[in-house]
Amino acid sequence: MRWYPKGYGGTRRDPDQVKRDGWHDEGVLAVSVDDHRLTWPERELVRQLGEKLYGPRSDDREAANG
């Protein structure tokens, strides 16, 4: 058997589980503006919150097309 330091080895959690645990344990919400589970108004709310808190995205597709 191989020895690993604490926190190494074992199985990795999938990204959605990490996000779920972050929300339940820390109250941190990680959501993609392109998440297919969201309706258009929900995606727009996420986009607006992101811009308000962190500024516009550098790869904003609307700006590139307009």
Side-chain angles (χ1 to χ4, degrees):
M1 179 184 291
R2 188 167 182 164
W3 179 84
Y4 291 103
K6 184 176 180 176
Y8 290 87
T11 59
R12 295 183 138 228
R13 296 179 293 168
D14 68 287
D16 276 334
Q17 185 62 46
V18 174
K19 294 176 189 178
R20 192 175 300 114
D21 292 346
W23 173 248
H24 288 264
D25 299 341
E26 306 295 331
V28 173
L29 180 62
V31 61
S32 171
V33 76
D34 299 321
D35 193 320
H36 70 278
R37 297 171 290 186
L38 301 176
T39 63
W40 179 84
E42 292 167 338
R43 287 192 303 271
E44 186 64 16
L45 176 63
V46 168
R47 185 191 64 76
Q48 290 178 10
L49 285 170
E51 286 184 357
K52 180 177 182 173
L53 295 173
Y54 305 114
R57 294 173 65 194
S58 60
D59 65 344
D60 195 347
R61 291 179 206 116
E62 286 185 2
N65 294 333

